[in-house]
Amino acid sequence: MEEIDNMLDQWIHNSIIRAKLRELITKEINNMKKKCITVLDYETGRVYQYKVTINKHAEEYITFKGHKLSNIEWMEHNDSRLITN
């Protein structure tokens, strides 16, 4: 991040724009990390969890894995831990 900050300081002299651009870059970097998609599949009676990169479209990925969108509930999240209590 220090390298990004140095480059932004060189290119953009307006501190408000620089801060906003840094925020957007940081957000995008974090979005590129692995995410989880949890699928509750009513057809199979099971819960599935997939670790994927954010650049994959979730619904496309879910159907690729063999689920029917009309028979599931799903969510996309960062935390892959399962809470059972």
Side-chain angles (χ1 to χ4, degrees):
M1 289 310 296
E2 184 178 338
E3 185 178 355
I4 290 172
D5 287 334
N6 290 338
M7 294 172 93
L8 289 173
D9 285 340
Q10 289 176 359
W11 292 338
I12 302 172
H13 298 289
N14 182 319
S15 61
I16 295 170
I17 294 172
R18 185 172 57 240
K20 182 64 177 172
L21 186 56
R22 184 183 193 283
E23 179 184 327
L24 291 171
I25 290 170
T26 303
K27 182 179 176 184
E28 199 57 37
I29 288 170
N30 289 334
N31 282 342
M32 292 170 60
K33 294 179 181 175
K34 290 208 178 249
K35 301 276 184 174
C36 291
I37 298 174
T38 298
V39 177
L40 174 60
D41 192 319
Y42 297 115
E43 193 171 338
T44 64
R46 293 185 173 200
V47 176
Y48 300 84
Q49 191 172 73
Y50 304 105
K51 291 182 182 177
V52 298
T53 55
I54 193 64
N55 61 2
K56 294 185 184 285
H57 190 272
E59 289 183 346
E60 184 179 315
Y61 183 80
I62 290 167
T63 55
F64 171 77
K65 295 302 275 184
H67 302 285
K68 296 177 185 167
L69 294 178
S70 61
N71 293 330
I72 66 166
E73 298 289 337
W74 66 275
M75 67 179 182
E76 196 169 1
H77 51 94
N78 293 324
D79 190 353
S80 64
R81 293 178 297 166
L82 296 176
I83 301 170
T84 59
N85 50 344

